[in-house]
Short mmCIF file of all heavy atoms in Angstrom, two decimals:
data_model
loop_
_atom_site.label_atom_id
_atom_site.label_comp_id
_atom_site.label_asym_id
_atom_site.label_seq_id
_atom_site.Cartn_x
_atom_site.Cartn_y
_atom_site.Cartn_z
N MET J 105 -50.01 48.69 -5.30
CA MET J 105 -49.25 48.53 -6.52
C MET J 105 -48.55 49.85 -6.86
O MET J 105 -49.16 50.90 -6.95
CB MET J 105 -50.20 48.12 -7.65
CG MET J 105 -49.53 48.02 -8.97
SD MET J 105 -50.73 47.55 -10.22
CE MET J 105 -49.73 46.49 -11.17
N ALA J 106 -47.25 49.78 -7.07
CA ALA J 106 -46.47 50.97 -7.42
C ALA J 106 -46.67 51.29 -8.90
O ALA J 106 -46.86 50.41 -9.73
CB ALA J 106 -45.00 50.72 -7.13
N THR J 107 -46.61 52.56 -9.21
CA THR J 107 -46.72 52.97 -10.60
C THR J 107 -45.34 53.33 -11.12
O THR J 107 -44.44 53.68 -10.36
CB THR J 107 -47.67 54.17 -10.77
OG1 THR J 107 -47.18 55.25 -9.97
CG2 THR J 107 -49.08 53.81 -10.34
N PHE J 108 -45.19 53.25 -12.41
CA PHE J 108 -43.93 53.58 -13.07
C PHE J 108 -43.69 55.08 -12.92
O PHE J 108 -44.47 55.90 -13.41
CB PHE J 108 -44.03 53.19 -14.54
CG PHE J 108 -42.72 53.17 -15.26
CD1 PHE J 108 -41.67 52.40 -14.82
CD2 PHE J 108 -42.57 53.91 -16.41
CE1 PHE J 108 -40.47 52.37 -15.51
CE2 PHE J 108 -41.38 53.89 -17.11
CZ PHE J 108 -40.33 53.12 -16.66
N ASN J 109 -42.63 55.44 -12.23
CA ASN J 109 -42.37 56.84 -11.91
C ASN J 109 -41.47 57.48 -12.95
O ASN J 109 -40.24 57.39 -12.90
CB ASN J 109 -41.75 56.95 -10.51
CG ASN J 109 -41.64 58.38 -10.04
OD1 ASN J 109 -41.83 59.32 -10.81
ND2 ASN J 109 -41.34 58.55 -8.78
N THR J 110 -42.09 58.17 -13.91
CA THR J 110 -41.33 58.81 -14.98
C THR J 110 -40.66 60.10 -14.52
O THR J 110 -39.96 60.73 -15.31
CB THR J 110 -42.23 59.09 -16.19
OG1 THR J 110 -43.33 59.90 -15.76
CG2 THR J 110 -42.73 57.81 -16.82
N ASN J 111 -40.86 60.49 -13.28
CA ASN J 111 -40.18 61.67 -12.73
C ASN J 111 -38.76 61.36 -12.26
O ASN J 111 -37.98 62.29 -12.02
CB ASN J 111 -40.98 62.28 -11.59
CG ASN J 111 -42.27 62.91 -12.08
OD1 ASN J 111 -42.30 63.51 -13.15
ND2 ASN J 111 -43.33 62.75 -11.32
N LEU J 112 -38.44 60.10 -12.13
CA LEU J 112 -37.10 59.73 -11.67
C LEU J 112 -36.08 59.98 -12.78
O LEU J 112 -36.31 59.63 -13.95
CB LEU J 112 -37.05 58.25 -11.29
CG LEU J 112 -37.88 57.85 -10.06
CD1 LEU J 112 -37.87 56.34 -9.90
CD2 LEU J 112 -37.35 58.54 -8.82
N PRO J 113 -34.96 60.60 -12.43
CA PRO J 113 -33.93 60.89 -13.46
C PRO J 113 -33.45 59.63 -14.18
O PRO J 113 -33.24 59.66 -15.39
CB PRO J 113 -32.80 61.54 -12.66
CG PRO J 113 -33.44 62.06 -11.43
CD PRO J 113 -34.58 61.13 -11.13
N SER J 114 -33.30 58.54 -13.47
CA SER J 114 -32.81 57.31 -14.12
C SER J 114 -33.79 56.81 -15.17
O SER J 114 -33.38 56.34 -16.24
CB SER J 114 -32.55 56.22 -13.08
OG SER J 114 -33.75 55.91 -12.39
N VAL J 115 -35.07 56.93 -14.91
CA VAL J 115 -36.09 56.51 -15.87
C VAL J 115 -36.06 57.42 -17.09
O VAL J 115 -36.10 56.96 -18.24
CB VAL J 115 -37.48 56.49 -15.22
CG1 VAL J 115 -38.57 56.26 -16.26
CG2 VAL J 115 -37.56 55.44 -14.12
N ARG J 116 -35.94 58.71 -16.86
CA ARG J 116 -35.90 59.67 -17.97
C ARG J 116 -34.67 59.47 -18.85
O ARG J 116 -34.74 59.56 -20.07
CB ARG J 116 -35.97 61.11 -17.46
CG ARG J 116 -37.33 61.47 -16.89
CD ARG J 116 -37.50 62.97 -16.70
NE ARG J 116 -36.38 63.65 -16.10
CZ ARG J 116 -36.23 63.91 -14.80
NH1 ARG J 116 -37.16 63.53 -13.94
NH2 ARG J 116 -35.18 64.54 -14.35
N ILE J 117 -33.52 59.19 -18.22
CA ILE J 117 -32.29 58.97 -18.99
C ILE J 117 -32.43 57.74 -19.88
O ILE J 117 -32.09 57.77 -21.06
CB ILE J 117 -31.07 58.85 -18.05
CG1 ILE J 117 -30.76 60.22 -17.46
CG2 ILE J 117 -29.86 58.28 -18.79
CD1 ILE J 117 -29.74 60.19 -16.34
N VAL J 118 -32.97 56.65 -19.33
CA VAL J 118 -33.16 55.44 -20.14
C VAL J 118 -34.17 55.73 -21.25
O VAL J 118 -33.99 55.29 -22.39
CB VAL J 118 -33.57 54.24 -19.27
CG1 VAL J 118 -33.94 53.04 -20.15
CG2 VAL J 118 -32.46 53.86 -18.30
N GLN J 119 -35.21 56.49 -20.97
CA GLN J 119 -36.19 56.85 -22.01
C GLN J 119 -35.51 57.62 -23.13
O GLN J 119 -35.81 57.41 -24.30
CB GLN J 119 -37.33 57.67 -21.43
CG GLN J 119 -38.43 56.86 -20.79
CD GLN J 119 -39.01 55.79 -21.68
OE1 GLN J 119 -38.91 54.61 -21.38
NE2 GLN J 119 -39.61 56.17 -22.78
N ASN J 120 -34.59 58.51 -22.79
CA ASN J 120 -33.84 59.24 -23.82
C ASN J 120 -32.96 58.31 -24.64
O ASN J 120 -32.85 58.45 -25.86
CB ASN J 120 -33.01 60.36 -23.21
CG ASN J 120 -33.86 61.55 -22.83
OD1 ASN J 120 -34.90 61.80 -23.41
ND2 ASN J 120 -33.40 62.29 -21.83
N PHE J 121 -32.33 57.32 -23.99
CA PHE J 121 -31.54 56.33 -24.71
C PHE J 121 -32.43 55.57 -25.70
O PHE J 121 -32.03 55.30 -26.83
CB PHE J 121 -30.87 55.34 -23.76
CG PHE J 121 -29.70 55.88 -22.99
CD1 PHE J 121 -29.24 55.21 -21.86
CD2 PHE J 121 -29.03 57.03 -23.36
CE1 PHE J 121 -28.15 55.67 -21.14
CE2 PHE J 121 -27.94 57.50 -22.66
CZ PHE J 121 -27.50 56.82 -21.54
N ILE J 122 -33.64 55.21 -25.26
CA ILE J 122 -34.57 54.49 -26.13
C ILE J 122 -34.96 55.37 -27.32
O ILE J 122 -34.90 54.94 -28.47
CB ILE J 122 -35.82 54.05 -25.34
CG1 ILE J 122 -35.44 52.98 -24.29
CG2 ILE J 122 -36.91 53.52 -26.28
CD1 ILE J 122 -36.52 52.70 -23.27
N LYS J 123 -35.36 56.60 -27.04
CA LYS J 123 -35.80 57.53 -28.08
C LYS J 123 -34.69 57.79 -29.10
O LYS J 123 -34.94 57.81 -30.31
CB LYS J 123 -36.25 58.84 -27.44
CG LYS J 123 -36.74 59.88 -28.44
CD LYS J 123 -37.10 61.17 -27.76
CE LYS J 123 -35.80 61.82 -27.33
NZ LYS J 123 -35.83 63.14 -26.85
N ASP J 124 -33.46 57.96 -28.62
CA ASP J 124 -32.33 58.28 -29.49
C ASP J 124 -31.66 57.05 -30.10
O ASP J 124 -30.69 57.19 -30.85
CB ASP J 124 -31.28 59.07 -28.71
CG ASP J 124 -31.81 60.41 -28.21
OD1 ASP J 124 -32.80 60.92 -28.78
OD2 ASP J 124 -31.22 60.94 -27.24
N LYS J 125 -32.15 55.85 -29.74
CA LYS J 125 -31.55 54.59 -30.20
C LYS J 125 -30.07 54.54 -29.88
O LYS J 125 -29.23 54.11 -30.69
CB LYS J 125 -31.82 54.37 -31.68
CG LYS J 125 -33.30 54.25 -31.96
CD LYS J 125 -33.59 53.90 -33.38
CE LYS J 125 -35.09 53.79 -33.52
NZ LYS J 125 -35.53 53.12 -34.69
N GLN J 126 -29.73 55.02 -28.70
CA GLN J 126 -28.36 55.09 -28.22
C GLN J 126 -27.86 53.70 -27.82
O GLN J 126 -28.54 52.98 -27.09
CB GLN J 126 -28.29 56.01 -26.99
CG GLN J 126 -26.95 56.05 -26.31
CD GLN J 126 -25.89 56.73 -27.14
OE1 GLN J 126 -26.09 57.82 -27.62
NE2 GLN J 126 -24.77 56.07 -27.31
N VAL J 127 -26.70 53.33 -28.33
CA VAL J 127 -26.08 52.07 -27.90
C VAL J 127 -25.53 52.28 -26.50
O VAL J 127 -24.90 53.30 -26.21
CB VAL J 127 -24.96 51.64 -28.88
CG1 VAL J 127 -24.25 50.40 -28.37
CG2 VAL J 127 -25.55 51.40 -30.26
N MET J 128 -25.83 51.34 -25.63
CA MET J 128 -25.42 51.42 -24.22
C MET J 128 -24.50 50.28 -23.86
O MET J 128 -24.56 49.21 -24.45
CB MET J 128 -26.65 51.33 -23.30
CG MET J 128 -27.70 52.34 -23.53
SD MET J 128 -29.05 52.18 -22.31
CE MET J 128 -29.42 50.46 -22.36
N GLU J 129 -23.68 50.54 -22.85
CA GLU J 129 -22.91 49.49 -22.20
C GLU J 129 -23.54 49.29 -20.84
O GLU J 129 -23.69 50.25 -20.08
CB GLU J 129 -21.45 49.92 -22.05
CG GLU J 129 -20.62 48.90 -21.31
CD GLU J 129 -19.18 49.37 -21.15
OE1 GLU J 129 -18.49 49.47 -22.17
OE2 GLU J 129 -18.80 49.64 -20.01
N ILE J 130 -23.91 48.06 -20.55
CA ILE J 130 -24.56 47.74 -19.29
C ILE J 130 -23.73 46.70 -18.56
O ILE J 130 -23.49 45.61 -19.09
CB ILE J 130 -25.99 47.20 -19.52
CG1 ILE J 130 -26.80 48.21 -20.32
CG2 ILE J 130 -26.66 46.86 -18.19
CD1 ILE J 130 -28.05 47.65 -20.91
N LYS J 131 -23.26 47.05 -17.39
CA LYS J 131 -22.50 46.10 -16.58
C LYS J 131 -23.43 45.53 -15.52
O LYS J 131 -24.12 46.28 -14.82
CB LYS J 131 -21.29 46.75 -15.92
CG LYS J 131 -20.44 45.73 -15.19
CD LYS J 131 -19.09 46.25 -14.87
CE LYS J 131 -18.25 45.14 -14.27
NZ LYS J 131 -16.88 45.56 -14.07
N LEU J 132 -23.46 44.23 -15.43
CA LEU J 132 -24.29 43.56 -14.44
C LEU J 132 -23.51 43.33 -13.16
O LEU J 132 -22.28 43.35 -13.15
CB LEU J 132 -24.80 42.23 -15.00
CG LEU J 132 -25.53 42.31 -16.34
CD1 LEU J 132 -25.96 40.93 -16.79
CD2 LEU J 132 -26.72 43.24 -16.24
N ILE J 133 -24.21 43.08 -12.08
CA ILE J 133 -23.55 42.83 -10.80
C ILE J 133 -22.72 41.55 -10.83
O ILE J 133 -21.84 41.37 -10.00
CB ILE J 133 -24.54 42.84 -9.62
CG1 ILE J 133 -25.62 41.79 -9.79
CG2 ILE J 133 -25.14 44.23 -9.44
CD1 ILE J 133 -26.56 41.65 -8.59
N THR J 134 -22.96 40.70 -11.83
CA THR J 134 -22.16 39.48 -12.00
C THR J 134 -20.82 39.77 -12.66
O THR J 134 -19.96 38.90 -12.73
CB THR J 134 -22.91 38.46 -12.86
OG1 THR J 134 -23.15 39.05 -14.14
CG2 THR J 134 -24.20 38.02 -12.23
N GLY J 135 -20.68 40.99 -13.21
CA GLY J 135 -19.46 41.36 -13.92
C GLY J 135 -19.61 41.26 -15.43
O GLY J 135 -18.77 41.76 -16.17
N ASP J 136 -20.68 40.61 -15.91
CA ASP J 136 -20.93 40.52 -17.35
C ASP J 136 -21.23 41.91 -17.90
O ASP J 136 -21.81 42.75 -17.21
CB ASP J 136 -22.13 39.61 -17.64
CG ASP J 136 -21.89 38.17 -17.21
OD1 ASP J 136 -20.82 37.63 -17.55
OD2 ASP J 136 -22.76 37.61 -16.53
N VAL J 137 -20.84 42.14 -19.14
CA VAL J 137 -21.11 43.41 -19.81
C VAL J 137 -21.94 43.13 -21.05
O VAL J 137 -21.60 42.25 -21.85
CB VAL J 137 -19.81 44.15 -20.20
CG1 VAL J 137 -20.12 45.41 -20.96
CG2 VAL J 137 -18.99 44.46 -18.95
N ILE J 138 -23.03 43.87 -21.20
CA ILE J 138 -23.92 43.74 -22.34
C ILE J 138 -23.91 45.06 -23.09
O ILE J 138 -23.97 46.13 -22.47
CB ILE J 138 -25.34 43.37 -21.89
CG1 ILE J 138 -25.31 41.98 -21.25
CG2 ILE J 138 -26.33 43.45 -23.04
CD1 ILE J 138 -26.58 41.57 -20.59
N THR J 139 -23.82 44.99 -24.41
CA THR J 139 -23.84 46.19 -25.24
C THR J 139 -25.00 46.07 -26.21
O THR J 139 -25.17 45.04 -26.86
CB THR J 139 -22.52 46.33 -26.03
OG1 THR J 139 -21.44 46.36 -25.10
CG2 THR J 139 -22.50 47.59 -26.85
N GLY J 140 -25.81 47.13 -26.27
CA GLY J 140 -26.93 47.12 -27.20
C GLY J 140 -27.82 48.33 -27.01
O GLY J 140 -27.50 49.23 -26.23
N GLU J 141 -28.93 48.33 -27.74
CA GLU J 141 -29.91 49.41 -27.66
C GLU J 141 -31.05 49.01 -26.74
O GLU J 141 -31.60 47.92 -26.88
CB GLU J 141 -30.50 49.71 -29.04
CG GLU J 141 -29.56 50.35 -30.00
CD GLU J 141 -30.22 50.63 -31.33
OE1 GLU J 141 -31.47 50.72 -31.39
OE2 GLU J 141 -29.49 50.74 -32.31
N ALA J 142 -31.43 49.91 -25.85
CA ALA J 142 -32.61 49.68 -25.02
C ALA J 142 -33.85 49.86 -25.90
O ALA J 142 -33.91 50.80 -26.70
CB ALA J 142 -32.65 50.65 -23.85
N ARG J 143 -34.82 48.98 -25.77
CA ARG J 143 -36.04 49.07 -26.57
C ARG J 143 -37.23 49.51 -25.74
O ARG J 143 -38.10 50.20 -26.22
CB ARG J 143 -36.35 47.73 -27.23
CG ARG J 143 -35.35 47.35 -28.29
CD ARG J 143 -35.47 48.31 -29.48
NE ARG J 143 -34.37 48.18 -30.40
CZ ARG J 143 -34.38 47.39 -31.46
NH1 ARG J 143 -35.40 46.64 -31.72
NH2 ARG J 143 -33.32 47.36 -32.24
N TRP J 144 -37.29 49.07 -24.48
CA TRP J 144 -38.37 49.48 -23.60
C TRP J 144 -37.92 49.26 -22.16
O TRP J 144 -36.92 48.60 -21.90
CB TRP J 144 -39.68 48.74 -23.89
CG TRP J 144 -39.61 47.23 -23.85
CD1 TRP J 144 -39.47 46.40 -24.93
CD2 TRP J 144 -39.67 46.38 -22.70
NE1 TRP J 144 -39.43 45.09 -24.52
CE2 TRP J 144 -39.57 45.05 -23.15
CE3 TRP J 144 -39.79 46.60 -21.33
CZ2 TRP J 144 -39.59 43.96 -22.29
CZ3 TRP J 144 -39.82 45.50 -20.47
CH2 TRP J 144 -39.71 44.21 -20.95
N GLN J 145 -38.68 49.85 -21.25
CA GLN J 145 -38.43 49.66 -19.82
C GLN J 145 -39.76 49.66 -19.09
O GLN J 145 -40.75 50.21 -19.56
CB GLN J 145 -37.51 50.75 -19.27
CG GLN J 145 -38.10 52.15 -19.27
CD GLN J 145 -37.18 53.17 -18.64
OE1 GLN J 145 -36.45 52.86 -17.70
NE2 GLN J 145 -37.24 54.39 -19.13
N ASP J 146 -39.77 49.00 -17.95
CA ASP J 146 -40.91 49.05 -17.05
C ASP J 146 -40.37 49.14 -15.63
O ASP J 146 -39.18 49.40 -15.45
CB ASP J 146 -41.87 47.87 -17.27
CG ASP J 146 -41.25 46.50 -16.99
OD1 ASP J 146 -40.24 46.42 -16.26
OD2 ASP J 146 -41.80 45.51 -17.48
N ASP J 147 -41.22 48.97 -14.65
CA ASP J 147 -40.80 49.09 -13.26
C ASP J 147 -39.64 48.17 -12.90
O ASP J 147 -38.79 48.51 -12.09
CB ASP J 147 -41.95 48.79 -12.30
CG ASP J 147 -42.94 49.91 -12.19
OD1 ASP J 147 -42.60 51.05 -12.55
OD2 ASP J 147 -44.06 49.65 -11.72
N ASP J 148 -39.62 46.98 -13.49
CA ASP J 148 -38.68 45.96 -13.08
C ASP J 148 -37.55 45.67 -14.07
O ASP J 148 -36.49 45.21 -13.67
CB ASP J 148 -39.42 44.64 -12.83
CG ASP J 148 -40.45 44.76 -11.73
OD1 ASP J 148 -40.14 45.36 -10.69
OD2 ASP J 148 -41.58 44.26 -11.92
N CYS J 149 -37.79 45.92 -15.34
CA CYS J 149 -36.88 45.43 -16.38
C CYS J 149 -36.56 46.48 -17.43
O CYS J 149 -37.30 47.44 -17.61
CB CYS J 149 -37.50 44.23 -17.09
SG CYS J 149 -37.85 42.84 -16.01
N ILE J 150 -35.47 46.21 -18.14
CA ILE J 150 -35.09 46.96 -19.34
C ILE J 150 -34.81 45.91 -20.41
O ILE J 150 -34.07 44.95 -20.18
CB ILE J 150 -33.84 47.82 -19.11
CG1 ILE J 150 -34.09 48.88 -18.03
CG2 ILE J 150 -33.40 48.48 -20.41
CD1 ILE J 150 -32.87 49.68 -17.64
N ALA J 151 -35.41 46.10 -21.60
CA ALA J 151 -35.15 45.20 -22.73
C ALA J 151 -34.05 45.81 -23.58
O ALA J 151 -34.10 46.98 -23.93
CB ALA J 151 -36.40 45.00 -23.56
N VAL J 152 -33.06 45.00 -23.90
CA VAL J 152 -31.91 45.44 -24.70
C VAL J 152 -31.78 44.51 -25.90
O VAL J 152 -31.93 43.30 -25.77
CB VAL J 152 -30.61 45.40 -23.86
CG1 VAL J 152 -29.41 45.75 -24.69
CG2 VAL J 152 -30.73 46.31 -22.66
N VAL J 153 -31.51 45.10 -27.07
CA VAL J 153 -31.27 44.32 -28.28
C VAL J 153 -29.80 44.50 -28.65
O VAL J 153 -29.33 45.61 -28.87
CB VAL J 153 -32.19 44.76 -29.43
CG1 VAL J 153 -31.85 44.00 -30.70
CG2 VAL J 153 -33.65 44.55 -29.06
N GLU J 154 -29.09 43.37 -28.70
CA GLU J 154 -27.68 43.39 -29.06
C GLU J 154 -27.52 43.51 -30.58
O GLU J 154 -28.51 43.41 -31.32
CB GLU J 154 -27.00 42.10 -28.57
CG GLU J 154 -26.97 41.98 -27.06
CD GLU J 154 -26.32 40.69 -26.62
OE1 GLU J 154 -26.76 39.60 -27.02
OE2 GLU J 154 -25.33 40.80 -25.87
N SER J 155 -26.31 43.72 -31.05
CA SER J 155 -26.04 43.92 -32.47
C SER J 155 -26.46 42.72 -33.33
O SER J 155 -26.74 42.87 -34.51
CB SER J 155 -24.57 44.25 -32.70
OG SER J 155 -23.77 43.18 -32.27
N ASN J 156 -26.54 41.53 -32.75
CA ASN J 156 -26.97 40.33 -33.48
C ASN J 156 -28.48 40.13 -33.43
O ASN J 156 -28.98 39.05 -33.75
CB ASN J 156 -26.23 39.10 -32.97
CG ASN J 156 -26.55 38.80 -31.51
OD1 ASN J 156 -27.33 39.51 -30.86
ND2 ASN J 156 -25.96 37.76 -30.99
N ASN J 157 -29.21 41.17 -33.00
CA ASN J 157 -30.67 41.16 -32.87
C ASN J 157 -31.19 40.25 -31.76
O ASN J 157 -32.38 39.96 -31.71
CB ASN J 157 -31.38 40.86 -34.19
CG ASN J 157 -31.27 42.01 -35.15
OD1 ASN J 157 -31.29 43.18 -34.75
ND2 ASN J 157 -31.12 41.72 -36.43
N GLN J 158 -30.32 39.81 -30.89
CA GLN J 158 -30.74 39.02 -29.72
C GLN J 158 -31.33 39.97 -28.68
O GLN J 158 -30.68 40.94 -28.29
CB GLN J 158 -29.53 38.28 -29.12
CG GLN J 158 -29.84 37.50 -27.87
CD GLN J 158 -30.65 36.25 -28.16
OE1 GLN J 158 -30.48 35.62 -29.19
NE2 GLN J 158 -31.54 35.92 -27.25
N GLN J 159 -32.57 39.73 -28.27
CA GLN J 159 -33.19 40.57 -27.24
C GLN J 159 -32.94 39.96 -25.87
O GLN J 159 -33.08 38.75 -25.68
CB GLN J 159 -34.69 40.71 -27.46
CG GLN J 159 -35.34 41.59 -26.40
CD GLN J 159 -36.77 41.97 -26.73
OE1 GLN J 159 -37.00 42.81 -27.55
NE2 GLN J 159 -37.70 41.33 -26.05
N ILE J 160 -32.56 40.80 -24.93
CA ILE J 160 -32.28 40.38 -23.56
C ILE J 160 -33.15 41.22 -22.64
O ILE J 160 -33.23 42.45 -22.79
CB ILE J 160 -30.79 40.59 -23.20
CG1 ILE J 160 -29.91 39.79 -24.15
CG2 ILE J 160 -30.53 40.22 -21.76
CD1 ILE J 160 -28.44 40.10 -24.00
N ILE J 161 -33.79 40.58 -21.69
CA ILE J 161 -34.55 41.28 -20.67
C ILE J 161 -33.69 41.30 -19.41
O ILE J 161 -33.31 40.25 -18.89
CB ILE J 161 -35.89 40.57 -20.35
CG1 ILE J 161 -36.69 40.33 -21.63
CG2 ILE J 161 -36.67 41.35 -19.31
CD1 ILE J 161 -37.18 41.55 -22.32
N LEU J 162 -33.36 42.48 -18.94
CA LEU J 162 -32.53 42.64 -17.74
C LEU J 162 -33.36 43.14 -16.58
O LEU J 162 -34.09 44.14 -16.72
CB LEU J 162 -31.40 43.65 -18.01
CG LEU J 162 -30.45 43.32 -19.15
CD1 LEU J 162 -29.54 44.51 -19.41
CD2 LEU J 162 -29.65 42.09 -18.82
N TRP J 163 -33.25 42.48 -15.45
CA TRP J 163 -33.89 42.98 -14.24
C TRP J 163 -33.06 44.15 -13.74
O TRP J 163 -31.83 44.09 -13.69
CB TRP J 163 -33.95 41.87 -13.18
CG TRP J 163 -34.95 40.82 -13.56
CD1 TRP J 163 -34.71 39.69 -14.27
CD2 TRP J 163 -36.33 40.85 -13.28
NE1 TRP J 163 -35.87 39.01 -14.46
CE2 TRP J 163 -36.89 39.68 -13.85
CE3 TRP J 163 -37.17 41.73 -12.61
CZ2 TRP J 163 -38.24 39.39 -13.77
CZ3 TRP J 163 -38.52 41.43 -12.53
CH2 TRP J 163 -39.04 40.27 -13.09
N ARG J 164 -33.73 45.22 -13.39
CA ARG J 164 -33.03 46.43 -12.91
C ARG J 164 -32.10 46.13 -11.74
O ARG J 164 -31.02 46.69 -11.66
CB ARG J 164 -34.03 47.51 -12.51
CG ARG J 164 -34.74 48.14 -13.68
CD ARG J 164 -35.67 49.24 -13.18
NE ARG J 164 -36.42 49.81 -14.26
CZ ARG J 164 -35.98 50.79 -15.04
NH1 ARG J 164 -34.81 51.32 -14.84
NH2 ARG J 164 -36.74 51.25 -16.02
N ASN J 165 -32.52 45.24 -10.84
CA ASN J 165 -31.69 44.97 -9.66
C ASN J 165 -30.43 44.16 -10.00
O ASN J 165 -29.58 43.95 -9.15
CB ASN J 165 -32.49 44.31 -8.54
CG ASN J 165 -33.12 43.01 -8.94
OD1 ASN J 165 -32.94 42.53 -10.05
ND2 ASN J 165 -33.89 42.44 -8.04
N ALA J 166 -30.29 43.71 -11.26
CA ALA J 166 -29.09 43.00 -11.69
C ALA J 166 -28.07 43.92 -12.32
O ALA J 166 -26.95 43.52 -12.62
CB ALA J 166 -29.46 41.89 -12.68
N ILE J 167 -28.44 45.20 -12.52
CA ILE J 167 -27.57 46.14 -13.21
C ILE J 167 -26.69 46.89 -12.22
O ILE J 167 -27.18 47.49 -11.27
CB ILE J 167 -28.42 47.15 -14.03
CG1 ILE J 167 -29.21 46.41 -15.10
CG2 ILE J 167 -27.53 48.23 -14.65
CD1 ILE J 167 -30.21 47.28 -15.83
N ALA J 168 -25.37 46.84 -12.45
CA ALA J 168 -24.44 47.61 -11.65
C ALA J 168 -24.39 49.05 -12.15
O ALA J 168 -24.44 50.00 -11.38
CB ALA J 168 -23.05 47.00 -11.68
N TYR J 169 -24.28 49.20 -13.50
CA TYR J 169 -24.35 50.53 -14.10
C TYR J 169 -24.69 50.39 -15.57
O TYR J 169 -24.58 49.32 -16.17
CB TYR J 169 -23.04 51.32 -13.94
CG TYR J 169 -21.87 50.82 -14.74
CD1 TYR J 169 -21.74 51.14 -16.09
CD2 TYR J 169 -20.87 50.06 -14.15
CE1 TYR J 169 -20.66 50.69 -16.83
CE2 TYR J 169 -19.79 49.63 -14.87
CZ TYR J 169 -19.69 49.93 -16.22
OH TYR J 169 -18.61 49.49 -16.93
N LEU J 170 -25.13 51.51 -16.15
CA LEU J 170 -25.29 51.59 -17.59
C LEU J 170 -24.84 52.96 -18.05
O LEU J 170 -24.92 53.93 -17.29
CB LEU J 170 -26.71 51.28 -18.06
CG LEU J 170 -27.88 52.12 -17.57
CD1 LEU J 170 -28.07 53.36 -18.40
CD2 LEU J 170 -29.13 51.26 -17.67
N LYS J 171 -24.30 52.99 -19.26
CA LYS J 171 -23.82 54.27 -19.79
C LYS J 171 -23.90 54.22 -21.30
O LYS J 171 -23.96 53.15 -21.91
CB LYS J 171 -22.39 54.55 -19.35
CG LYS J 171 -21.36 53.57 -19.87
CD LYS J 171 -19.97 53.92 -19.37
CE LYS J 171 -18.93 52.96 -19.94
NZ LYS J 171 -17.59 53.33 -19.54
N ALA J 172 -23.91 55.41 -21.90
CA ALA J 172 -23.89 55.51 -23.35
C ALA J 172 -22.56 54.99 -23.86
O ALA J 172 -21.51 55.26 -23.28
CB ALA J 172 -24.11 56.96 -23.78
N LYS J 173 -22.62 54.22 -24.91
CA LYS J 173 -21.40 53.71 -25.54
C LYS J 173 -20.88 54.77 -26.48
O LYS J 173 -21.61 55.30 -27.29
CB LYS J 173 -21.74 52.43 -26.30
CG LYS J 173 -20.58 51.76 -26.94
CD LYS J 173 -19.92 50.83 -26.00
CE LYS J 173 -18.89 50.03 -26.78
NZ LYS J 173 -17.92 49.47 -25.94
N SER J 174 -19.62 55.14 -26.31
CA SER J 174 -19.09 56.20 -27.16
C SER J 174 -18.41 55.66 -28.39
O SER J 174 -18.19 54.55 -28.58
CB SER J 174 -18.13 57.08 -26.39
OG SER J 174 -17.26 56.34 -25.59
#
């Protein structure tokens, strides 16, 4: 069983987004774009809450990129 590797830069960046309540833009490999705040992450998923309070669980392997929304 793999453990959650908090030494990875990508994990630390998402943790900072969570801590700072940073709104993110997340583009999926399907081309869909989701905008919201990350609430938590684990080995496989990131939970995002959109502005309408809808929570979405995203599988990491479905994400093309994520970035801070300016």
Side-chain angles (χ1 to χ4, degrees):
M105 176 181 218
T107 58
F108 194 56
N109 188 348
T110 57
N111 291 322
L112 293 173
S114 61
V115 171
R116 289 194 315 266
I117 289 170
V118 173
Q119 277 306 117
N120 284 333
F121 286 163
I122 293 168
K123 180 183 72 170
D124 298 338
K125 297 186 179 196
Q126 174 69 51
V127 175
M128 303 183 311
E129 177 181 293
I130 303 165
K131 185 164 186 174
L132 305 179
I133 58 174
T134 60
D136 297 311
V137 177
I138 295 172
T139 302
E141 290 181 22
R143 292 292 168 92
W144 56 262
Q145 66 176 327
D146 62 21
D147 283 342
D148 299 316
C149 300
I150 298 174
V152 176
V153 177
E154 295 179 303
S155 61
N156 63 0
N157 288 325
Q158 177 72 35
Q159 181 169 284
I160 301 171
I161 307 294
L162 301 172
W163 289 91
R164 288 183 184 274
N165 59 3
I167 298 172
Y169 70 80
L170 59 85
K171 64 180 182 177
K173 183 87 171 159
S174 44

